Amino acid sequence: MDFGLSREDKLFLESVKSFAERVIAPRWVEIDEGKWSIEEVAAKLAEVGLIGIPLSSKYGGQDGTFLQAALAAEELAYADPSLATPVYMLLETAWPYMVQLYGREEVKGEVLPEVTAGRAFIGIGSTEPQGGSDVASFQTKAVKEGDVWRLYGEKNMVTGVTTILNLPYGGGVIAITRTGKLEDRHRGITVFLALLKRRGRVSPGFSHRDWEEIGRHGLPTGYLRLEGLPVEEAFMLGELNGGFKIAMEGFNLARTIIGAASIGAARWLMDKALEWIKQRVVFGRPIASYQAVSFKFAELYARLESAKLAVYKAAWVADRHYSGDTAFTLQDVATAGAMAKYLAVSLAVEIALEVMKWFGGASYFKETNVARSLLGVLSYYVGAEGAENILKLIIARNIIGREFV
Ligand SMILES: Cc1cc2nc3c(=O)[nH]c(=O)nc-3n(C[C@H](O)[C@H](O)[C@H](O)COP(=O)(O)OP(=O)(O)OC[C@H]3O[C@@H](n4cnc5c(N)ncnc54)[C@H](O)[C@@H]3O)c2cc1C
């Protein structure tokens, strides 16, 4: 077992770190305040090859690994702990990868190079107003009308619709739709790459509005109403009624990289705290000299290290699986991804709350910036890309057995 990075990965990490420190870190608060647009940030990420790391170079990707994507997300989150930048990057790791795996060649050839160039965004249109966890009961319909499919229904909390409309090519969402009967559950689900804007032209048949978020303001999330959005047959991913597995596969990968982003934010919080507890003098001594503080710091530091290893392991499992190693199944990727997100996100929230206590009253004010990070990781704690109980459900089912859970 080797805990070190390969020479190639070390060089990659150094280059991401240097980019993140130079370009993102000095302006992350501007991103969080919407003063530096995510579309401009995306263009910068694309310039240095950080969009679509595991995508094929045929489509402008880096032929990279999920471990590299995890390392990049971690460093981008360290530089932008509000998480807008790493979330853009990680969504553009997982969901375009599903297009690469299951899309038709003409679609991949048209859309993926636009994604890797930072000119298009592919999001996930999963959650519906009646709930996001029970994907097999989704109601958004895809109906074949002549040569095209038309999508009808409501998707909620979809990240990136405004971003799509602002980008020069545009892009769309991987829409999880019902093509079978409701009682067919997961066997009646088909996924499409549903473009909302293509080659600079906005598609007909949808409306949307952004929600006002409490944090991570740099990347908008909103409500999407599908009112007969036309989707060409070629934009179906995989087979008719075979979409449920594709959606789950995308979530598995996204969760692993979300784990990495949460680790990056948690590391930033711990580093800020380390500086602070050594210089904040109360009752005549730095607060780091009180064991109530230093022991808690030690505990969180140790748990952060173990969560980080779980995240890297999940990325490594994904790399083994996708490089064709049959010893690592899709179920292994799912379990590892669920564990990575569960461990890293809940720990990052706990760290943020503890660090805020060490900063005392000052942490309640935006100038200290610690709360911006709490609000960023909180998005994943409350549910984005899988609520905590759903992650536990996946782990329990895969380990104990579906017949029990
Ligand atoms: C910032 C942000 C960005 C988002 N971006 C996107 C996006 O781009 N695309 C998208 O489609 N969605 C997105 N979402 C939505 C997210 O995926 C959903 O919030 C998530 O899937 C949970 O769905 P829900 O909120 O409807 O909760 P529900 O499904 O209604 O669940 C509510 C609660 O019940 C619990 N629960 C449900 N079932 C069980 C069970 N069987 N056992 C125990 N507990 C259970 C859940 O854990 C949860 O705590 C985003 C959310 C946020 C906050």
Side-chain angles (χ1 to χ4, degrees):
M1 187 173 288
D2 184 353
F3 284 97
L5 293 175
S6 69
R7 192 172 162 274
E8 190 190 346
D9 287 344
K10 267 189 210 150
L11 288 172
F12 173 80
L13 180 59
E14 282 316 309
S15 74
V16 179
K17 250 188 196 162
S18 133
F19 164 80
E21 277 169 18
R22 210 167 18 86
V23 179
I24 304 296
R27 299 186 69 184
W28 77 273
V29 172
E30 279 178 68
I31 298 173
D32 196 40
E33 291 180 346
K35 292 177 185 155
W36 190 27
S37 79
I38 199 71
E39 296 82 24
E40 285 178 50
V41 176
K44 296 280 179 205
L45 294 175
E47 268 172 31
V48 291
L50 288 179
I51 303 186
I53 291 167
L55 292 184
S56 162
S57 49
K58 195 167 144 192
Y59 309 121
Q62 302 299 310
D63 296 319
T65 61
F66 285 100
L67 179 61
Q68 288 173 341
L71 294 170
E74 185 182 331
E75 289 314 316
L76 291 175
Y78 190 88
D80 173 7
S82 81
L83 292 195
T85 307
V87 171
Y88 187 104
M89 175 261 158
L90 73 89
L91 289 172
E92 295 320 276
T93 299
W95 297 109
Y97 193 72
M98 290 302 105
V99 175
Q100 176 168 295
L101 284 183
Y102 297 105
R104 314 289 191 265
E105 193 50 52
E106 72 256 41
V107 172
K108 297 194 272 190
E110 176 184 330
V111 183
L112 294 180
E114 300 288 345
V115 170
T116 53
R119 293 164 45 83
F121 180 87
I122 295 179
I124 170 69
S126 172
T127 309
E128 298 187 352
Q130 77 277 7
S133 302
D134 185 7
V135 175
S137 74
F138 281 177
Q139 296 171 18
T140 293
K141 272 195 200 138
V143 183
K144 189 91 186 269
E145 292 178 10
D147 286 345
V148 294
W149 289 87
R150 288 196 181 271
L151 273 43
Y152 299 92
E154 295 173 286
K155 292 291 181 187
N156 198 14
M157 298 185 255
V158 178
T159 296
V161 175
T162 298
T163 313
I164 289 165
L165 298 179
N166 287 340
L167 284 168
Y169 175 95
V173 295
I174 295 193
I176 304 180
T177 68
R178 178 151 302 284
T179 40
K181 292 198 275 306
L182 203 53
E183 50 276 25
D184 293 341
R185 304 268 306 153
H186 64 279
R187 290 189 194 84
I189 296 280
T190 302
V191 290
F192 294 89
L193 172 57
L195 293 184
L196 303 176
K197 184 176 171 188
R198 183 180 187 186
R199 300 188 187 115
R201 293 185 61 177
V202 178
S203 312
F206 77 93
S207 57
H208 95 288
R209 78 190 139 98
D210 287 333
W211 297 123
E212 198 178 327
E213 290 152 324
I214 58 168
R216 206 201 66 188
H217 302 105
L219 186 57
T221 294
Y223 168 82
L224 174 64
R225 189 178 172 83
L226 299 163
E227 300 153 342
L229 179 79
V231 182
E232 291 168 24
E233 176 83 24
F235 284 75
M236 183 188 288
L237 302 182
E239 302 300 320
L240 183 66
N241 295 326
F244 184 81
K245 282 189 178 154
I246 298 173
M248 293 305 120
E249 200 175 336
F251 283 124
N252 296 338
L253 292 173
R255 285 172 189 149
T256 298
I257 317 294
I258 287 164
S262 306
I263 296 293
R267 262 181 48 214
W268 177 82
L269 285 157
M270 289 294 275
D271 281 356
K272 262 199 94 95
L274 186 58
E275 239 176 72
W276 171 258
I277 61 176
K278 288 198 277 192
Q279 55 103 351
R280 181 68 170 180
V281 174
V282 184
F283 292 111
R285 284 159 54 187
I287 58 172
S289 66
Y290 298 114
Q291 286 188 348
V293 174
S294 63
F295 279 20
K296 190 68 191 176
F297 185 93
E299 178 204 315
L300 293 172
Y301 191 86
R303 288 170 58 200
L304 180 55
E305 186 64 17
S306 75
K308 188 161 84 170
L309 291 175
V311 167
Y312 291 173
K313 163 107 185 276
W316 177 82
V317 169
D319 284 327
R320 298 309 311 157
H321 173 77
Y322 288 105
S323 62
D325 186 339
T326 51
F328 296 90
T329 63
L330 261 184
Q331 183 168 313
D332 296 328
V333 179
T335 310
M339 292 195 295
K341 182 176 183 245
Y342 164 55
L343 291 171
V345 170
S346 55
L347 180 62
V349 169
E350 207 181 319
I351 286 177
L353 288 170
E354 198 61 37
V355 170
M356 284 181 74
K357 283 195 276 179
W358 295 336
F359 271 88
S363 67
Y364 199 70
F365 301 95
K366 280 186 174 172
E367 285 72 11
T368 315
N369 285 337
V370 179
R372 292 179 196 273
S373 187
L374 170 69
L375 294 172
V377 287
L378 211 49
S379 69
Y380 286 123
Y381 187 68
V382 300
E385 309 264 349
E388 190 174 285
N389 283 348
I390 300 307
L391 303 175
K392 289 181 182 170
L393 192 69
I394 292 167
I395 300 164
R397 271 191 185 154
N398 291 351
I399 304 299
I400 304 171
R402 197 165 260 278
E403 63 275 33
F404 294 99
V405 188

